[in-house]
Amino acid sequence: MQEYIIKAVNGLVKKYNTRDPLKLADCLGIKIIPFPFRKIKGMVLEFMGRKLIGINSSLPREEQRIIVGHEIGHDQLSPSGLGYFFMVENTCIITGSEEYRANAFTAELLLAEEQPEYGQTIEEFAAELGVPPELVKIKFIK
């Protein structure tokens, strides 16, 4: 994982004393707006000087946490003035570099204090933590 992503996450965690994406969004002044999107899982945008995350209200709470972490990653890691990002249904892990960085941010935020048990598979560890296996791979497989 790229060092600047680890530093960005650690700086936020130290400053706000939380790894919970929902609490972190609140600390950062990012309003979370639940909406019953049909295909979009989440999006981050700036509107009239206010940062917003739209989250699909039909998703389970654990998945909403992951999506909010991903969108905060876009907000924190992307150059300013870079419009908005959204995550579409069936695309939890997208391969583009912006998406990879947002996923790496989420992996670091949610998994930095976790360690798999000896012999535990990626899928078992991911299921135990309620995250997609792809996030575990980003964090632990070099």
Side-chain angles (χ1 to χ4, degrees):
M1 184 174 308
Q2 296 170 338
E3 190 64 32
Y4 77 95
I5 293 173
I6 294 169
K7 286 181 180 181
V9 170
N10 288 342
L12 289 173
V13 169
K14 184 177 180 179
K15 182 174 183 177
Y16 298 113
N17 198 32
T18 185
R19 288 189 173 278
D20 182 329
L22 300 172
K23 290 179 183 176
L24 189 56
D26 187 50
C27 292
L28 292 167
I30 301 173
K31 176 123 174 100
I32 298 174
I33 301 173
F35 189 82
F37 294 113
R38 291 184 55 168
K39 295 195 179 234
I40 295 173
K41 289 184 174 187
M43 69 169 80
V44 61
L45 57 104
E46 189 168 328
F47 181 72
M48 297 178 67
R50 181 103 196 244
K51 293 180 182 179
L52 309 167
I53 291 177
I55 189 77
N56 189 324
S57 57
S58 66
L59 296 173
R61 184 159 174 83
E62 191 58 39
E63 190 171 354
Q64 288 183 13
R65 281 183 66 241
I66 294 164
I67 301 301
V68 168
H70 177 95
E71 300 304 342
I72 291 172
H74 278 307
D75 177 68
Q76 295 294 302
L77 301 174
S78 297
S80 60
L82 197 62
Y84 65 91
F85 295 90
F86 59 94
M87 187 172 257
V88 180
E89 183 178 301
N90 300 325
T91 57
C92 184
I93 305 298
I94 301 173
T95 58
S97 62
E98 290 291 333
E99 295 304 315
Y100 179 83
R101 285 192 291 273
N103 288 330
F105 181 95
T106 308
E108 184 64 25
L109 182 64
L110 297 177
L111 303 175
E113 296 180 340
E114 306 294 340
Q115 287 292 321
E117 293 179 23
Y118 181 78
Q120 191 174 30
T121 67
I122 289 171
E123 289 75 17
E124 290 168 341
F125 184 58
E128 179 182 302
L129 298 176
V131 300
E134 291 84 359
L135 288 183
V136 174
K137 290 175 186 173
I138 288 171
K139 174 65 182 159
F140 295 102
I141 297 177
K142 308 289 184 221

